[in-house]
Amino acid sequence: MGYDKVDELAINTIRTLAVDATFQANSGHPGAPMGMAPVAHVLFNRFMTFNPKNPEWLNRDRFVLSNGHGCMLHYALLHLFGYAVSLDDLKNFRQVDSITPGHPEAHDTPGIEVTTGPLGQGIANAVGLAIAQRQGGAVFNKPGFELLNNHTYAFFGDGCAMEGIASEAASMAGHLQLGNLIAIYDDNHISIDGDTACAFTEDVLKRFEAYGWHTQWVEHGDTDLEAIEKAIAAARAVTDKPSVIKLTTTIGFGSKLQGTGGVHGNPLKADDVQQVKEKFGFDPNKTFVVPQEVYDLYNKHASDGAAAEQEWNQLFEKYGKEHPKEHAELVRRMKRDLPEGWQKALPTYKPSDSAQASRKLSEAVLEAIHDVVPELLSGSADLTGSNNTRWKKAVDFQPPSTKLGDWSGRYMRYGVREHAMAAVMNGISAYGIHIPAGGTFLNFVSYAAGAVRLSALSHQRVIYVATHDSIGLGEDGPTHQPIETLAHFRALPNFMVWRPADGNETSAAYYMALTSRTTPSLLALTRQNLPQLENSSIEGAIRGGYVALEDKEAAVTLVSTGSEVSLCLESVKTLADQGLKARVVSLPCWEVFDAQDKEYKLKVLPDGIPIMSVEVLSTLGWEKYSHEQFGLNRFGASGPYKEVYKKFEFTPEGIAKRAVATVNFYKDVKPLRSPVNRAFQQLI
Amino acid sequence: MGYDKVDELAINTIRTLAVDATFQANSGHPGAPMGMAPVAHVLFNRFMTFNPKNPEWLNRDRFVLSNGHGCMLHYALLHLFGYAVSLDDLKNFRQVDSITPGHPEAHDTPGIEVTTGPLGQGIANAVGLAIAQRQGGAVFNKPGFELLNNHTYAFFGDGCAMEGIASEAASMAGHLQLGNLIAIYDDNHISIDGDTACAFTEDVLKRFEAYGWHTQWVEHGDTDLEAIEKAIAAARAVTDKPSVIKLTTTIGFGSKLQGTGGVHGNPLKADDVQQVKEKFGFDPNKTFVVPQEVYDLYNKHASDGAAAEQEWNQLFEKYGKEHPKEHAELVRRMKRDLPEGWQKALPTYKPSDSAQASRKLSEAVLEAIHDVVPELLSGSADLTGSNNTRWKKAVDFQPPSTKLGDWSGRYMRYGVREHAMAAVMNGISAYGIHIPAGGTFLNFVSYAAGAVRLSALSHQRVIYVATHDSIGLGEDGPTHQPIETLAHFRALPNFMVWRPADGNETSAAYYMALTSRTTPSLLALTRQNLPQLENSSIEGAIRGGYVALEDKEAAVTLVSTGSEVSLCLESVKTLADQGLKARVVSLPCWEVFDAQDKEYKLKVLPDGIPIMSVEVLSTLGWEKYSHEQFGLNRFGASGPYKEVYKKFEFTPEGIAKRAVATVNFYKDVKPLRSPVNRAFQQLI
């Protein structure tokens, strides 16, 4: 309590920095920063513990700006508190290669925890950050050693509140009783279409109450700093429920257009900039002004944060003496290293081993490695028994009061909430000491597409366990059979799509997924059984593609993935009956294969032999690796899967017929280049 | 009121049919049909008006099974009431080419209104069906002529209730005060992971109350038919709010496993089938039994429905005399015809016309055609001013009490709810007399991916107005710049992705979108200005691709879309300076180009000349039309768009450099085939 002129000055400094930066960029969103500067000031300066000199300190409080378009608010704070964000960086707001992009990006800017802007993502990330704290705390905290006890704070606006992903995440947070999560809802009644009265008239607090949240309303969010502080303090006092504070504010506070949509996504006009500065006691002719008192005030809080980290470091050192095993483990996990030799636990298979569905092979991997990779948090969007994501002895991550698990549990019950699951996993990963894996049907990863793309953009090590990966799921039919899905995610940068053909390839997919620290992965897995292949190995598969069947006299190369590799191998016999020799390539991961050297790629897919791809999904993109494509550019069918395969001619005969056509068609082309032979390199 | 043995028999007939069909298929979901048979019986036989002999009757009550996995419930009802669904069809449940697929598909089965199964979609479709009734009623009803006054009923389960899309749609329905919408929430406490206590403990009714719904709870949904009837009657009496009835039921009622997850997604075991039948008084040794009393009961209701349609037809005939214009219009719209000559209203452009962003060109189309195409309902997910989806004189579709519009309004304020927008549009289209168009940024169509795929699968004429279609949006940065998005939707079957290069191509895109009755479209539109091209025409563009610049001596073909076509044309001059002649092809829609005859395709992309594609998004799939690809297989950057283009070398020089490399690389290949020249046809 007790706010004076310097607090006011700090708040108005944040506001004018946002005004100046958006004006200079001639682009951006001044409204939210101007409206939320008071709560940001109170929160950052009175409640949050962080050390700007070490934004990676594990037990820092987390802050998420779910309404990421208001990022100048956060950039201004980062600068004022002394993070490595300079005044010049603010002047470069929204310029190419600056560290102050149009929306906050986690890996670009020190102090930005998660990548936000796409609405609703941030609040779901915050739920993940809070889960990670709860789980990590349950594992590592010991009597006298409250190593992990940080809070997660999130701001969100009307836009986020309307998004389904936010609803899913809030329902989940309520169920999980995440008392370490405090969200501030910026109730400014404005979205891009103007007054929210045109589309959004629900009672938001009542909805959050229904989810099980603690709710409060601060009526005068523009000015009533004491009420803001009181509400945040009250929220912190509630430990068995997440809290939301509805804060009624005026968007663009101070502008001539305050309270209107005009100030949401456009810089202020020049005369408005001037009058805002005059109103706030700033020189209207100067830009990017920070009064020394403001630096001093925030430096003081930053020093307190640095001291808090020092104290924590000492505690952690002492912890190392009393709990050396846990200490070493946490140190390892903070470095994102895996335990020495963990990969020896990965199952390997011989051709004589029984045929199994790759979802079961995935289960076998989880069963084999969960003990040696304790940072792995598995889970599913209500398809546990179908995705096979749960190892036998798994304990659910649950509030102990539910008697269904405890806080140290490593199995997440995400509910039927695919989009939130993905964004929550991004938050869990961003906390820094976990690797989340979450299951759903491949077709329903599409529900989560908005968050999956942010896994990739923000470099999170997240694993999507995507079972029922094709028409091979059979009877559930076209509503559940992915066609476009692999093309979609193969086109996503920094994202590994794996479609393993057998047990060794499934182990290889997990090996790469777990060891790629900054790249998320999707594992497309079958419902139906697959035989163990003759030439498969983890070593071959981790190159993204390898020769599954070599024949120096081959007239055609068949390149395939997953369930169709063994089908291609069968069709080789059919072709042999017709006097044609064929070789087979398994290409479980394009992203990884693309990264191999050209020599290797040409050994796998050599010049001079026509190549035909075989995969029971859209052919789109297969032209990268093949001259001709056999796939499914239509929706599937409901029926027993063998019948469905037959309907679409995915049989040895159907493959052979097309392989023959391919061979004949390319007979006259000289030289016949492999498609991996390119005229120029792609930008990366 | 007044239920007797025959009602009970009917309910148990539905249950045993579901048991038999899933058992015979050895696949499917008996639990929901067994639990919801009572409410389905009361609803269909006591409240709903429909004529099984004409499932297309416009004013029928609509029924949506949002928990589509329970489709045997609906298939059984369709059979019993006399729709063209035979007992043999039920016996063929989940078999290839049957009309009883694993989840309900609108175009496959008479009486199925919308395609459901992917959870949450159906309830959002139901909101769209209710909107279409309200809007259509406001336009066509006249004093004494209540032509359109049907109800929309939807069942949904816990799975749907957890999905974000359902939250979005419910919030929207509450805002819109859709009193013609009645939803039954099957509160059976079971999802695939077992008891919902593990993930879903919110207060669902309170949440719906917060959205503005009328809520009721029926505690004994397995047996209390009178209470069910009373609740539905009460819901019908509420005309200014949507209604939800929470119905507590026992999943798999009658089974030995009733009330457990074991009965959700697996057929009953043989002995359980027997005991269920015995329990319900059926012969345990007979299958697919329908007592004649049940047929009689339902036939009676079906006859009432047929009579109701007769009465309506007479009313409609009378309407034709008093309101001939409206009558003719409604007849036309029911046939999904467009008004004669409407296309003359489409704007056309000369090269001398000013450069414009294609989002503005799209706005010009809407401005020009909205009067002549009155079935067009535009809207946006809160980006009206950015998507340019609203014509100047548009009236919002709003409850009159809001004073923001009225029920006849043709502009939808979807709020920041992309996924619900798409599914609501599917529902609007399914009602049968509207063409919905909805805007968001291209990148955020991904939020709606689950529903977009159902637009395609269920053949809805829905238009996605997807602006800000590339790094050309500039400062908003990588979080908003689509990379993978076009590849994703190009891989989706029965879906047109348009990326027009100028005004004529934008008009062509709308022409095709509006005239393709069973194919949805996405229009990818720029934020930045584009010049009007020399050789563009509606006639050329509606073939999906055409030659934008011919040169008989060309050494290379540049193929491109949207904003990069004019860039390619500029690069032709750069190449000319280097002594290289080039031709340019504009390929605004692959789906449509693919459908042209081979001769035309080879004229556009001829043999013998190397082809390079140019598009500032993922190159994935461009190999279909080009030998080499220049694109962006990484995330973009935040900055003024010209700077961003420069950073990635999307300049005349950057294109020319790669075109030269392409020409040199393919010099030695004979014959050099066009990639549209294929060895065999794809399955379609």
Side-chain angles (χ1 to χ4, degrees):
Chain A
M1 298 286 152
Y3 289 90
D4 61 19
K5 290 279 166 203
V6 183
D7 294 287
E8 201 180 310
L9 190 63
I11 290 165
N12 289 332
T13 300
I14 297 167
R15 285 174 170 147
T16 51
L17 284 175
V19 166
D20 281 340
T22 50
F23 186 81
Q24 170 135 334
N26 190 26
S27 174
H29 302 73
M34 295 172 82
M36 297 196 86
V39 65
H41 170 75
V42 173
L43 176 65
F44 274 70
N45 203 47
R46 298 277 171 116
F47 290 100
M48 281 180 64
T49 304
F50 53 85
N51 177 10
K53 301 302 169 208
N54 179 15
E56 300 297 311
W57 170 35
L58 185 60
N59 198 38
R60 69 192 180 277
D61 285 333
R62 277 18 178 222
F63 175 74
V64 175
L65 188 72
S66 193
N67 46 341
H69 52 271
C71 53
M72 257 314 299
L73 173 70
H74 201 181
Y75 296 156
L77 289 161
L78 293 175
H79 168 68
L80 296 172
F81 278 103
Y83 284 83
V85 176
S86 69
L87 216 45
D88 278 340
D89 291 324
L90 300 190
K91 290 175 186 168
N92 274 319
F93 179 55
R94 294 191 153 220
Q95 302 308 303
V96 168
D97 297 329
S98 75
I99 62 164
T100 46
H103 291 84
E105 293 180 49
H107 53 290
D108 279 9
T109 316
I112 299 291
E113 304 286 354
V114 288
T115 298
T116 61
L119 293 172
Q121 299 289 337
I123 183 72
N125 297 157
V127 173
L129 288 163
I131 287 169
Q133 185 280 320
R134 270 278 184 273
Q135 206 278 344
V139 170
F140 290 105
N141 290 351
K142 303 284 170 192
F145 295 98
E146 276 282 300
L147 283 185
L148 300 176
N149 61 4
N150 70 283
H151 278 84
T152 297
Y153 298 96
F155 288 178
F156 71 94
D158 289 302
C160 291
M162 284 187 249
E163 289 285 5
I165 181 178
S167 300
E168 292 176 8
S171 172
M172 192 176 168
H175 168 77
L176 291 174
Q177 305 172 15
L178 297 173
N180 56 347
L181 173 63
I182 297 173
I184 316 272
Y185 162 42
D186 183 23
D187 171 47
N188 66 25
H189 276 276
I190 292 295
S191 67
I192 293 182
D193 271 13
D195 194 307
T196 50
C198 76
F200 188 56
T201 45
E202 63 173 60
D203 182 338
V204 175
L205 282 194
K206 188 170 182 177
R207 170 152 69 95
F208 276 75
E209 251 175 61
Y211 296 139
W213 288 53
H214 176 256
T215 66
Q216 299 176 79
W217 181 31
V218 173
E219 204 175 340
H220 302 291
D222 295 327
T223 50
D224 195 347
L225 305 184
E226 312 253 338
I228 293 170
E229 181 173 334
K230 223 172 112 184
I232 298 174
R236 285 169 57 108
V238 176
T239 57
D240 61 347
K241 283 181 175 189
S243 269
V244 61
I245 300 165
K246 170 168 136 173
L247 187 76
T248 301
T249 69
T250 305
I251 192 170
F253 184 84
S255 159
K256 292 200 267 187
L257 298 173
Q258 71 174 30
T260 74
V263 79
H264 166 86
N266 295 304
L268 272 49
K269 301 258 181 301
D271 62 330
D272 199 9
V273 172
Q274 293 229 335
Q275 77 80 25
V276 161
K277 289 186 182 174
E278 277 167 14
K279 190 179 286 173
F280 292 151
F282 281 65
D283 184 337
N285 299 312
K286 288 192 181 156
T287 59
F288 295 97
V289 170
V290 180
Q292 189 56 45
E293 306 96 288
V294 175
Y295 278 134
D296 292 346
L297 177 72
Y298 285 165
N299 279 342
K300 167 74 179 66
H301 187 72
S303 309
D304 293 349
E309 191 198 346
Q310 266 314 311
E311 206 178 306
W312 188 90
N313 288 339
Q314 284 158 15
L315 183 74
F316 190 47
E317 209 183 307
K318 202 174 144 208
Y319 180 85
K321 284 171 193 142
E322 296 194 25
H323 305 283
K325 198 171 134 266
E326 288 82 355
H327 181 273
E329 164 139 336
L330 190 52
V331 167
R332 175 184 69 72
R333 282 166 63 166
M334 284 194 279
K335 288 190 285 181
R336 300 201 172 217
D337 284 348
L338 291 173
E340 191 87 22
W342 74 275
Q343 70 275 16
K344 288 177 204 145
L346 286 169
T348 56
Y349 297 82
K350 300 181 302 293
S352 56
D353 289 333
S354 66
Q356 286 192 59
S358 50
R359 61 174 172 155
K360 292 292 291 179
L361 295 164
S362 163
E363 184 180 46
V365 171
L366 295 174
E367 199 63 68
I369 68 168
H370 75 268
D371 263 348
V372 287
V373 186
E375 55 266 57
L376 186 65
L377 296 191
S378 191
S380 163
D382 194 50
L383 288 166
T384 298
S386 301
N387 299 144
N388 301 87
T389 34
R390 195 167 194 271
W391 52 87
K392 281 196 198 77
K393 288 189 195 155
V395 172
D396 279 9
F397 176 82
Q398 294 279 3
S401 68
T402 61
K403 304 210 192 314
L404 297 170
D406 61 50
W407 292 128
S408 73
R410 290 169 54 199
Y411 193 77
M412 305 292 310
R413 300 284 182 174
Y414 287 104
V416 190
R417 305 180 182 107
E418 298 82 5
H419 202 176
M421 174 172 76
V424 165
M425 290 203 292
N426 287 339
I428 291 173
S429 167
Y431 191 82
I433 55 170
H434 298 92
I435 304 175
T440 183
F441 287 177
L442 176 58
N443 192 52
F444 300 118
V445 182
S446 300
Y447 270 44
V452 174
R453 124 179 271 273
L454 290 172
S455 303
L457 177 58
S458 65
H459 300 179
Q460 302 301 345
R461 179 164 47 175
V462 163
I463 304 173
Y464 295 94
V465 180
T467 69
H468 296 62
D469 73 343
S470 77
I471 53 169
L473 64 83
E475 289 89 344
D476 273 348
T479 54
H480 287 53
Q481 292 165 348
I483 299 293
E484 75 286 7
T485 321
L486 290 188
H488 172 191
F489 292 115
R490 282 169 176 158
L492 184 62
N494 190 40
F495 193 74
M496 289 188 286
V497 172
W498 287 89
R499 190 164 186 256
D502 74 350
N504 292 328
E505 290 195 11
T506 305
S507 288
Y510 271 101
Y511 177 83
M512 291 300 289
L514 289 163
T515 54
S516 301
R517 293 161 195 237
T518 59
T519 302
S521 308
L522 179 150
L523 277 55
L525 304 168
T526 64
R527 175 172 185 261
Q528 74 272 31
N529 283 345
L530 306 179
Q532 308 300 334
L533 304 181
E534 194 79 38
N535 291 319
S536 84
S537 68
I538 295 183
E539 295 68 32
I542 61 172
R543 304 197 73 168
Y546 67 96
V547 182
L549 178 74
E550 192 50 281
D551 189 328
K552 293 294 168 200
E553 294 167 5
V556 64
T557 297
L558 302 174
V559 58
S560 185
T561 71
S563 39
E564 285 73 70
V565 176
S566 53
L567 205 56
C568 285
L569 289 166
E570 278 186 66
S571 76
V572 170
K573 296 170 205 154
T574 313
L575 283 165
D577 293 344
Q578 301 173 31
L580 217 60
K581 290 184 172 170
R583 54 198 294 282
V584 176
V585 167
S586 180
L587 207 69
C589 182
W590 295 8
E591 177 102 5
V592 169
F593 183 68
D594 288 351
Q596 304 302 313
D597 59 55
K598 193 169 171 183
E599 195 190 334
Y600 179 75
K601 285 192 273 191
L602 279 172
K603 225 164 84 181
V604 175
L605 296 170
D607 289 330
I609 310 174
I611 306 170
M612 184 177 89
S613 70
V614 181
E615 190 178 65
V616 291
L617 295 103
S618 169
T619 56
L620 200 92
W622 270 110
E623 300 87 352
K624 255 174 97 172
Y625 307 104
S626 61
H627 299 95
E628 296 290 322
Q629 298 78 38
F630 181 29
L632 199 58
N633 294 315
R634 52 156 286 165
F635 290 107
S638 170
Y641 92 87
K642 285 183 184 174
E643 296 301 313
V644 178
Y645 264 67
K646 213 164 109 183
K647 174 180 169 72
F648 298 120
E649 303 183 30
F650 283 94
T651 56
E653 296 70 34
I655 294 171
K657 182 172 86 180
R658 289 166 177 84
V660 169
T662 298
V663 170
N664 292 335
F665 192 72
Y666 287 90
K667 263 193 182 136
D668 60 338
V669 178
K670 303 280 183 258
L672 183 65
R673 292 231 180 83
S674 166
V676 301
N677 223 332
R678 318 299 300 173
F680 56 86
Q681 288 298 308
Q682 296 294 330
L683 295 163
I684 42 168
Chain B
M1 298 287 153
Y3 290 91
D4 60 19
K5 289 279 167 204
V6 181
D7 294 286
E8 202 180 308
L9 190 63
I11 290 166
N12 290 331
T13 301
I14 297 168
R15 285 174 170 146
T16 52
L17 285 174
V19 166
D20 280 340
T22 50
F23 185 82
Q24 170 135 335
N26 191 24
S27 174
H29 303 74
M34 295 171 81
M36 297 197 85
V39 66
H41 171 73
V42 173
L43 176 65
F44 274 69
N45 202 49
R46 298 280 170 115
F47 290 101
M48 281 180 64
T49 305
F50 53 85
N51 177 9
K53 301 301 169 210
N54 179 14
E56 299 298 311
W57 171 34
L58 186 60
N59 198 38
R60 69 193 180 275
D61 285 332
R62 279 16 179 222
F63 174 74
V64 175
L65 188 73
S66 193
N67 45 341
H69 51 272
C71 53
M72 257 314 298
L73 174 69
H74 201 180
Y75 297 155
L77 289 162
L78 292 175
H79 168 69
L80 296 173
F81 278 102
Y83 285 82
V85 175
S86 69
L87 216 45
D88 278 340
D89 291 325
L90 300 189
K91 290 176 186 168
N92 273 319
F93 180 55
R94 295 191 153 219
Q95 301 309 302
V96 168
D97 297 329
S98 75
I99 62 164
T100 46
H103 291 84
E105 293 180 48
H107 54 289
D108 280 9
T109 316
I112 299 291
E113 303 287 353
V114 288
T115 299
T116 61
L119 294 172
Q121 300 288 337
I123 182 73
N125 297 158
V127 173
L129 288 164
I131 287 170
Q133 184 280 320
R134 270 278 183 273
Q135 207 278 344
V139 170
F140 290 105
N141 291 351
K142 304 283 171 194
F145 295 99
E146 277 281 300
L147 283 186
L148 301 176
N149 61 3
N150 70 283
H151 277 83
T152 298
Y153 298 95
F155 289 177
F156 70 95
D158 288 302
C160 290
M162 284 188 249
E163 288 285 5
I165 181 176
S167 300
E168 292 177 7
S171 173
M172 191 177 167
H175 168 76
L176 290 174
Q177 304 172 16
L178 297 173
N180 55 348
L181 174 64
I182 297 173
I184 317 272
Y185 162 42
D186 183 25
D187 171 47
N188 65 25
H189 276 276
I190 293 294
S191 67
I192 294 181
D193 271 13
D195 194 306
T196 51
C198 76
F200 188 54
T201 45
E202 63 173 61
D203 182 338
V204 175
L205 283 193
K206 188 171 183 176
R207 170 152 70 92
F208 275 76
E209 250 175 62
Y211 296 140
W213 287 52
H214 176 257
T215 65
Q216 298 176 80
W217 181 30
V218 174
E219 204 174 338
H220 303 291
D222 295 327
T223 49
D224 195 348
L225 304 184
E226 311 254 338
I228 292 171
E229 180 174 334
K230 221 172 113 185
I232 298 175
R236 285 170 57 108
V238 177
T239 58
D240 61 346
K241 283 180 176 190
S243 269
V244 61
I245 300 165
K246 171 169 135 173
L247 188 76
T248 302
T249 68
T250 304
I251 192 170
F253 184 86
S255 159
K256 292 199 266 186
L257 297 173
Q258 72 174 28
T260 74
V263 80
H264 166 85
N266 294 304
L268 272 49
K269 300 259 179 303
D271 62 330
D272 200 7
V273 172
Q274 293 229 338
Q275 78 80 25
V276 161
K277 289 186 181 171
E278 277 166 14
K279 189 180 288 173
F280 292 150
F282 282 64
D283 184 338
N285 299 314
K286 288 191 181 157
T287 58
F288 294 97
V289 170
V290 179
Q292 189 56 43
E293 306 96 288
V294 175
Y295 278 133
D296 291 346
L297 177 72
Y298 284 165
N299 279 343
K300 167 74 179 63
H301 187 72
S303 310
D304 293 348
E309 191 199 345
Q310 267 314 313
E311 205 178 309
W312 189 89
N313 288 339
Q314 285 157 16
L315 184 74
F316 190 46
E317 208 183 310
K318 200 172 146 210
Y319 180 84
K321 284 170 193 144
E322 296 196 24
H323 304 283
K325 199 170 136 268
E326 287 83 355
H327 182 273
E329 164 136 338
L330 190 52
V331 167
R332 174 184 69 72
R333 282 166 63 166
M334 284 194 279
K335 288 191 284 181
R336 300 203 171 215
D337 284 347
L338 291 174
E340 191 89 21
W342 74 276
Q343 69 275 13
K344 288 176 203 146
L346 286 169
T348 55
Y349 297 83
K350 300 182 300 296
S352 56
D353 289 333
S354 66
Q356 286 191 61
S358 49
R359 61 173 171 159
K360 292 293 291 179
L361 296 163
S362 163
E363 184 180 46
V365 171
L366 295 174
E367 199 63 68
I369 68 169
H370 73 267
D371 263 348
V372 287
V373 187
E375 56 265 58
L376 186 64
L377 296 192
S378 191
S380 163
D382 194 49
L383 288 166
T384 297
S386 301
N387 298 145
N388 302 85
T389 31
R390 196 168 193 271
W391 51 87
K392 281 195 199 79
K393 289 189 196 155
V395 172
D396 279 9
F397 176 82
Q398 294 279 4
S401 67
T402 61
K403 304 209 191 314
L404 297 170
D406 61 49
W407 292 127
S408 73
R410 290 169 53 199
Y411 193 77
M412 304 295 308
R413 301 283 183 176
Y414 287 104
V416 190
R417 305 180 181 108
E418 298 82 6
H419 202 176
M421 175 172 76
V424 166
M425 291 201 293
N426 287 339
I428 291 173
S429 166
Y431 190 81
I433 55 170
H434 298 93
I435 305 174
T440 183
F441 288 178
L442 176 57
N443 192 53
F444 300 119
V445 182
S446 301
Y447 271 44
V452 174
R453 120 179 272 275
L454 290 173
S455 304
L457 177 58
S458 65
H459 301 182
Q460 302 302 343
R461 180 164 45 175
V462 163
I463 304 173
Y464 294 94
V465 180
T467 70
H468 296 62
D469 73 343
S470 77
I471 55 168
L473 64 84
E475 289 89 345
D476 273 349
T479 54
H480 287 53
Q481 292 165 349
I483 298 293
E484 75 286 7
T485 322
L486 291 188
H488 172 190
F489 292 114
R490 282 169 177 159
L492 184 63
N494 189 39
F495 193 73
M496 290 189 284
V497 172
W498 287 89
R499 190 165 186 255
D502 73 351
N504 292 329
E505 290 195 10
T506 305
S507 289
Y510 271 100
Y511 176 83
M512 291 299 291
L514 289 162
T515 53
S516 302
R517 293 160 195 238
T518 58
T519 303
S521 308
L522 179 149
L523 277 55
L525 303 168
T526 65
R527 175 173 184 258
Q528 73 271 29
N529 283 346
L530 306 179
Q532 308 301 335
L533 304 181
E534 194 78 40
N535 291 320
S536 84
S537 67
I538 295 182
E539 294 68 32
I542 60 172
R543 304 198 72 168
Y546 66 97
V547 181
L549 178 73
E550 192 50 280
D551 188 329
K552 294 292 169 203
E553 294 167 4
V556 64
T557 296
L558 302 175
V559 58
S560 185
T561 71
S563 40
E564 285 73 69
V565 177
S566 53
L567 204 56
C568 285
L569 290 166
E570 277 186 67
S571 76
V572 170
K573 296 170 205 156
T574 312
L575 283 165
D577 292 344
Q578 300 173 32
L580 217 61
K581 290 185 173 169
R583 56 197 292 283
V584 176
V585 166
S586 180
L587 207 69
C589 182
W590 296 8
E591 179 101 5
V592 169
F593 184 69
D594 287 352
Q596 304 302 313
D597 59 55
K598 192 169 173 183
E599 193 189 338
Y600 179 76
K601 286 191 273 189
L602 278 172
K603 225 165 83 181
V604 174
L605 296 171
D607 288 330
I609 310 174
I611 305 170
M612 183 178 89
S613 70
V614 181
E615 188 177 66
V616 292
L617 294 103
S618 170
T619 56
L620 201 93
W622 269 111
E623 300 88 352
K624 255 174 96 172
Y625 307 104
S626 61
H627 300 94
E628 296 289 322
Q629 299 77 36
F630 181 28
L632 199 58
N633 294 315
R634 50 154 288 166
F635 290 106
S638 169
Y641 92 85
K642 286 184 182 173
E643 297 300 312
V644 178
Y645 265 67
K646 214 164 108 183
K647 175 181 169 72
F648 298 120
E649 301 182 30
F650 283 93
T651 57
E653 298 70 33
I655 294 171
K657 184 172 83 179
R658 289 167 177 84
V660 169
T662 299
V663 170
N664 291 336
F665 191 73
Y666 287 89
K667 264 194 180 135
D668 60 338
V669 178
K670 303 282 180 255
L672 183 64
R673 292 230 180 83
S674 167
V676 301
N677 225 331
R678 317 299 299 172
F680 56 85
Q681 290 297 308
Q682 296 294 330
L683 295 165
I684 41 169

